[in-house]
Amino acid sequence: MTADLVQESWSRIDAWLREHAPRTFATLRPPAKVEEITAAQDGLGITFPPDLIASLLRHDGALDGPEAFRFNTHDRLLGVSGILEDTRFMRAVADDLDEKEAEDYWQHGYAKFGSYGATSDGLMIDCRTGRDSFGAIGRFFDETGTSFGEGRLTWWVSGRAGRPARARPGCRCRHVQRPAVLGVGDACPSGVGQCRRSSWRTG
């Protein structure tokens, strides 16, 4: 059921991006292979929640760049290799902290699946099985550590299926009331033509 909902949500996001932001859609990678996902879990010694696996089986992250698919937190969707790299980096940082400091900063059972890019900030998911928090999404900030309250990935994707991620953080087309966020040259959903920087507003 979870996998079906994630797939249906991605179908709606993909359809919207194909029509309104094809350059951003082009940054979404093909599905990850099951063996790659399994190897990543084994390498990290954790179990990915079913909705993360379902998402990776649809898109193995997004290519980096100014048009990259990003969540509305401005975090780029990471694929299997990105999850491995960023999660290992966060573990190395946490290893230098004492136990009390690390408790609210980064836990060994976390996996990072969204990257802000310029810093270590990003979205993470709790992969600690046997806990009520298994599958919960949190936000990591360099200076303050990890905080939860972002829901679950199933909700995260399905709740944004009608509001696809930003091609360019902070900019949206002024021609439409709905905050359609586009890249330069993408078709404007109002039908006025191609989106230009002069058509954007921030916020």
Side-chain angles (χ1 to χ4, degrees), residues 36-193:
E36 293 174 332
I37 298 173
T38 301
Q41 293 178 91
D42 291 343
L44 294 173
I46 56 178
T47 300
F48 291 165
D51 42 7
L52 177 58
I53 293 175
S55 183
L56 289 168
L57 289 174
R58 182 59 176 258
H59 290 300
D60 187 20
L63 299 173
D64 199 2
E67 308 281 354
F69 178 94
R70 299 178 187 276
F71 293 105
N72 62 2
T73 54
H74 311 316
D75 298 303
R76 178 174 61 88
L77 179 69
L78 293 178
V80 173
S81 62
I83 291 172
L84 273 169
E85 181 179 353
D86 280 34
T87 301
R88 284 170 173 162
F89 175 80
M90 292 310 309
R91 286 181 176 181
V93 172
D95 284 345
D96 290 334
L97 305 175
D98 61 41
E99 186 175 348
K100 185 176 181 180
E101 289 177 318
E103 184 176 351
D104 295 324
Y105 196 77
W106 188 270
Q107 293 290 317
H108 188 83
Y110 295 166
K112 188 175 174 186
F113 73 94
S115 174
Y116 187 73
T119 66
S120 297
D121 297 357
L123 293 169
M124 49 71 61
I125 191 166
D126 194 337
C127 300
R128 296 175 295 176
T129 57
R131 294 170 175 256
D132 291 340
S133 61
F134 179 65
I137 289 176
R139 187 90 170 88
F140 173 81
F141 292 99
D142 273 339
E143 297 181 358
T144 58
T146 303
S147 61
F148 287 91
E150 301 290 346
R152 306 279 168 157
L153 186 57
T154 302
W155 170 86
W156 191 264
V157 176
S158 63
R160 285 153 179 77
R163 297 180 290 125
R166 298 167 181 245
R168 287 183 177 269
C171 297
R172 57 186 177 183
C173 179
R174 64 178 173 80
H175 295 127
V176 288
Q177 186 172 11
R178 181 167 174 260
V181 183
L182 308 169
V184 174
D186 285 336
C188 176
S190 67
V192 300

Side-chain angles (χ1 to χ4, degrees), residues 3-66:
D4 291 342
L5 182 57
V6 170
Q7 292 297 326
E8 290 170 7
S9 299
W10 269 119
S11 292
R12 293 196 297 275
I13 293 171
D14 288 353
W16 193 95
L17 290 174
R18 282 192 195 97
E19 181 178 357
H20 301 299
R23 298 184 186 192
T24 295
F25 175 72
T27 69
L28 288 169
R29 291 170 50 83
K33 297 179 180 179
V34 173
E35 53 267 32
E36 293 174 332
I37 298 173
T38 301
Q41 293 178 91
D42 291 343
L44 294 173
I46 56 178
T47 300
F48 291 165
D51 42 7
L52 177 58
I53 293 175
S55 183
L56 289 168
L57 289 174
R58 182 59 176 258
H59 290 300
D60 187 20
L63 299 173
D64 199 2

